């Protein structure tokens, strides 16, 4: 049986060890390392599919938990699946809801069977299990599905993290058992283990013994210091199969995308660019720019003079500041176009640097202008 998703290694950067690759999916190819814009509720907020294609977003994400509680996966299924529903014909990855159930809902109860929780929208009592998460993602028709997992909070004690990862492994097994269309949809497992290197190893060994077509690293970008995240990556990526995609969930800022690529990650997702755009914060080659600042009132230059995006080619800081201050939706659209383009362009630059064996030099020059750390 042909796998729905395969990883094609292209080359390894001689300077940094980062890798260039291609992820082949039923809806197209993803050049990696890649940043994946997040469209949690079946839309990358304020962006049309055409605008996403113009900035060459290769794949977008959506979310099982959110679409389960609204509009309901049966409606999406009746529409012909998520690609049809949102008019996106490139790859889609759906998260399993394992994160949202723990972060968004209150009154939740975790058992071996699954998680009972209250909808954060109307308080309805709901239940998600590995089988339910697979049924939802099957209805959505995503190219890449994530196994139902528990993302432990940070900090969490050793015993809790150990018990949690072992249940996540048993849940991953149940996801595999209830996977009805492996030739159309790829199921990725999620490695947990908190901030404990030996538990990361245990989780990786348990999950890679079950031969999934791809693996994510979960349980990071949950408030831990960045150096701790990088340490966990260094402990975990070497344990992951070299011929399968590696996806770091919920990451991230420009510096984390570069540092994660250096540590062998192929796929990243983060709400940062779209989330900060909504309050007018922009990523530029000289670091973050808060457009509401009065000093931009009569600044008629582009957000970023080095940027080739639609926003920077056509509008000034003064105009965008005015729109954001006036709470005009078009202002949010312009900052969102810019921020998404900025991260997608950054990953194109990372891939070029890997091709030319100079990713560490690229990192140093990027940080010199952008700033060493960006949360
Ligand atoms: C932000 N840091 C972070 N996000 C994380 C997510 C959600 C991404 C999902 O959540 C939404 O964005 C917040 C998006 O919907 C995204 O995927 C689609 C995780 N999901 C799962 N299943 N397991 C994890 O261990 C996990 C860890 C994370 N760390």
């Amino acid at each position: 049986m042909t796998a729905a998703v395969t990883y094609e290694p292209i080359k390894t950067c001689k300077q940094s060890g980062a890798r260039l690759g291609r992820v082949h999916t039923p809806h197209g190819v993803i050049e990696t390392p890649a940043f994946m814009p997040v469209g949690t509720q079946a839309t990358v907020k304020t962006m049309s599919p055409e605008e996403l294609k113009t900035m060459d977003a290769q794949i977008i994400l959506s979310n099982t938990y959110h679409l389960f509680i609204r509009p309901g996966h049966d409606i999406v299924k009746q529409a012909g699946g998520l690609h049809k529903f949102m008019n996106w014909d490139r790859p889609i990855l759906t998260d399993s809801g394992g994160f949202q159930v723990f972060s968004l809902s209150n009154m939740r109860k975790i058992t071996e069977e699954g998680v009972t929780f209250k909808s954060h929208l109307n308080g309805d009592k709901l239940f998600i299990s590995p089988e339910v998460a697979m049924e939802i993602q099957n209805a959505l028709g995503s190219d890449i599905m994530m196994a139902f997992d528990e993302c432990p909070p940070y900090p969490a004690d050793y015993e809790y993290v150990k018990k949690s990862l072992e249940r996540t492994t048993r849940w991953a097994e149940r996801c595999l058992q209830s996977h009805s269309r492996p030739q159309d949809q790829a199921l990725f497992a999620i490695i947990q283990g908190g901030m404990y290197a030996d538990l990361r190893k245990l989780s990786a060994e348990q999950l890679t013994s079950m031969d999934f077509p791809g693996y994510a690293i979960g349980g990071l970008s949950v408030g831990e210091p960045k150096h701790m995240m990088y340490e966990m990556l260094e402990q975990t990526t070497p344990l992951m199969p070299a011929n399968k995609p590696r996806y770091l969930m919920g990451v991230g800022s420009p510096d984390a995308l570069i540092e994660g690529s250096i540590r062998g990650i192929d796929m990243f997702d983060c709400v940062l660019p779209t989330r900060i755009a909504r309050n007018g914060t922009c990523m530029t080659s000289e670091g973050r720019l808060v457009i509401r600042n009065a000093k931009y009132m009569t600044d008629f230059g582009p957000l970023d003079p080095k940027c080739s995006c639609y926003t920077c080619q056509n509008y000034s800081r003064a105009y965008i500041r005015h729109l954001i201050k006036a709470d005009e939706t078009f202002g949010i659209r312009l900052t969102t176009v810019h921020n998404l383009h900025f991260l997608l362009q950054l990953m194109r630059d990372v891939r070029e640097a890997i091709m030319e064996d100079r990713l560490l030099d690229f990192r140093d020059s990027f940080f010199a202008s952008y700033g060493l750390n960006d949360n």
Side-chain angles (χ1 to χ4, degrees):
M1 168 193 65
T2 52
V5 166
T6 54
Y7 177 73
E8 177 196 357
I10 295 179
K11 82 163 286 209
T12 299
C13 173
K14 292 188 179 64
Q15 189 183 59
S16 67
R19 59 192 214 160
L20 211 52
R22 287 194 191 98
V23 176
H24 295 269
T25 82
H27 280 89
V29 180
I30 306 151
E31 304 280 345
T32 60
F35 172 74
M36 306 184 286
V38 172
T40 296
Q41 300 188 106
T43 167
V44 178
K45 288 182 172 43
T46 78
M47 292 291 98
S48 70
E50 291 70 24
E51 286 167 323
L52 290 168
K53 285 185 179 175
T54 299
M55 56 180 82
D56 199 19
Q58 305 175 87
I59 173 173
I60 60 168
L61 270 57
S62 203
N63 196 279
T64 295
Y65 168 88
H66 289 85
L67 296 174
F68 173 51
I69 61 173
R70 184 174 57 188
H73 56 292
D74 50 332
I75 289 177
V76 179
K77 185 169 185 171
Q78 287 172 46
L82 200 47
H83 288 88
K84 201 120 177 37
F85 194 49
M86 64 187 293
N87 186 32
W88 176 256
D89 61 3
R90 291 186 177 184
I92 297 177
L93 180 151
T94 46
D95 191 13
S96 58
F99 183 80
Q100 278 71 28
V101 157
F102 297 98
S103 62
L104 284 181
S105 62
N106 47 33
M107 202 302 278
R108 65 183 172 276
K109 187 164 161 292
I110 315 172
T111 64
E112 185 64 27
E113 187 50 27
V115 185
T116 307
F117 61 96
K118 273 186 173 176
S119 158
H120 73 288
L121 292 181
N122 59 15
D124 282 359
K125 199 167 176 188
L126 300 167
F127 174 72
I128 294 191
S129 66
E131 291 76 16
V132 170
M134 292 300 285
E135 179 204 327
I136 296 167
Q137 294 180 90
N138 180 47
L140 300 177
S142 44
D143 301 280
I144 300 175
M145 311 154 97
M146 302 310 294
F148 188 65
D149 64 330
E150 179 188 1
C151 173
Y154 172 78
D157 68 46
Y158 185 90
E159 276 316 309
Y160 182 86
V161 172
K162 187 167 189 293
K163 283 195 172 26
S164 169
L165 80 85
E166 288 177 336
R167 180 170 53 213
T168 286
T169 297
R170 293 193 296 273
W171 283 357
E173 174 74 49
R174 284 168 48 190
C175 287
L176 267 184
Q177 297 309 323
S178 61
H179 188 1
S180 55
R181 298 190 290 141
Q183 73 287 355
D184 300 322
Q185 300 180 280
L187 173 62
F188 282 18
I190 304 176
I191 295 168
Q192 294 292 351
M195 308 304 155
Y196 303 102
D198 62 326
L199 295 185
R200 285 280 165 187
K201 186 169 184 301
L202 180 63
S203 178
E205 283 166 352
Q206 290 179 353
L207 294 172
T208 53
S209 69
M210 287 192 262
D211 192 23
F212 288 88
Y215 292 89
I217 297 178
L220 294 177
S221 189
V222 287
E224 76 281 6
K226 277 201 177 149
H227 70 83
M228 206 177 268
M229 175 167 80
Y230 299 151
E231 170 64 20
M232 285 305 107
L233 293 186
E234 287 156 17
Q235 298 289 332
T236 309
T237 49
L239 305 171
M240 299 166 80
N243 63 338
K244 305 264 174 81
R246 298 173 184 151
Y247 163 27
L248 175 54
M249 304 190 84
V251 174
S253 53
D255 52 312
L257 293 177
I258 298 172
E259 297 289 4
S261 299
I262 289 169
R263 290 163 177 82
I265 298 297
D266 306 306
M267 299 158 75
F268 301 86
D269 92 85
C270 188
V271 294
L272 191 71
T274 38
R275 183 170 290 172
I276 63 172
R278 292 197 285 282
N279 61 40
T281 300
C282 304
M283 299 168 170
T284 77
S285 44
E286 268 75 52
R288 281 196 184 193
L289 181 153
V290 179
I291 200 64
R292 285 175 180 274
N293 192 313
K295 67 182 175 185
Y296 301 121
M297 200 183 294
T298 55
D299 182 337
F300 299 104
L303 283 177
D304 184 345
K306 296 198 181 97
C307 180
S308 63
C309 82
Y310 168 71
T311 300
C312 290
Q313 297 307 305
N314 294 290
Y315 303 95
S316 69
R317 290 170 172 180
Y319 177 65
I320 297 165
R321 177 179 178 277
H322 158 62
L323 294 181
I324 293 294
K325 296 280 282 181
D327 206 15
E328 282 289 346
T329 307
F330 187 52
I332 293 175
R333 278 179 35 76
L334 289 175
T335 53
T336 299
V337 162
H338 172 76
N339 282 352
L340 285 173
H341 173 94
F342 183 87
L343 286 191
L344 292 166
Q345 182 58 47
L346 174 62
M347 297 317 284
R348 283 189 283 270
D349 295 343
V350 163
R351 296 196 293 268
E352 188 185 284
I354 293 171
M355 183 58 88
E356 298 169 2
D357 298 314
R358 56 175 177 77
L359 185 56
L360 297 185
D361 295 338
F362 173 77
R363 175 185 64 182
D364 296 347
S365 65
F366 180 85
F367 285 173
S369 66
Y370 188 84
L372 282 177
N373 209 337
D374 175 23
N375 292 309

